[in-house]
Amino acid sequence: MTKMPEYEIPIDAGRRPAEADRHHRVPVKVKRILVPTDLTNESHRAIEFGLVLARPLGAHLTLLHVYQDPAYAVEYVLGPHDNDRAQQERTYFEKTLKATAEDVRKEYADCDSEFRDGVLCEEIVNTAKERDIDLIIISTHHYNWLTRLACGSDAENILRNMPCPILILQANTTPERPVAL
């Protein structure tokens, strides 16, 4: 497999040439991109965006799914539940992540996936640190105000603890329905 050339993107890339000459340019190298996914349509947009960036940069792309066992919430509300169902759900997400990664590898070979169990925000931050990630691409979702009040925003919690830059893609919105972090 031929390795793509490494590009350096200057931080002041958006400035006009006359302005760029007056400022010292700081190169930003993006070699590893992490795309956390919950395997929804919104997160597929993040995967597509990751592909768009990884190709010209020659960056390694990692898809991450964090599975949090719903047993603790179900037991709290309804009492003990059937563990077979939780295992089936976990297996479904594991297989779906593998299939998604295989589809991505058909378009871009330098891609892998990782499936983790745990708390979403903690595992994304841990993965970014362990894999020395240069950029994270994450998508938001349409949540109503009650859900946001009760659960908060995962993207916001991740942003507070992230060891690298993070690109947050806003969920598909209409003018009548804006989304905020």
Side-chain angles (χ1 to χ4, degrees), residues 4-9 28-30 55-58:
M4 297 287 291
E6 198 174 288
Y7 292 95
E8 291 184 4
I9 301 172
V28 176
K29 293 183 181 182
V30 178
R55 282 184 187 125
L57 296 172

Side-chain angles (χ1 to χ4, degrees), residues 32-130:
R32 289 168 294 283
I33 299 173
L34 177 67
V35 181
T37 177
D38 61 1
L39 305 170
T40 61
N41 287 336
E42 287 90 354
S43 65
H44 283 302
R45 281 186 57 232
I47 293 169
E48 290 173 13
F49 206 89
L51 277 169
V52 167
L53 288 177
R55 282 184 187 125
L57 296 172
H60 179 77
L61 185 63
T62 300
L63 308 180
L64 171 69
H65 180 79
V66 179
Y67 179 76
Q68 187 169 354
D69 187 358
Y72 73 93
V74 173
E75 284 183 24
Y76 179 77
V77 175
L78 302 174
H81 76 289
D82 184 12
N83 283 336
D84 289 340
R85 184 168 184 201
Q87 185 57 41
Q88 289 172 348
E89 181 180 77
R90 185 183 188 285
T91 302
Y92 166 79
F93 283 118
E94 225 171 345
K95 288 180 180 180
T96 304
L97 177 65
K98 285 182 182 181
T100 301
E102 287 173 15
D103 289 343
V104 170
R105 274 192 290 277
K106 290 175 186 174
E107 295 183 42
Y108 186 71
D110 196 8
C111 175
D112 71 346
S113 64
E114 185 167 342
F115 187 91
R116 288 188 175 214
D117 292 290
V119 177
L120 179 71
C121 299
E122 292 174 12
E123 292 303 322
I124 292 173
V125 171
N126 290 341
T127 303
K129 289 178 181 175
E130 291 168 12

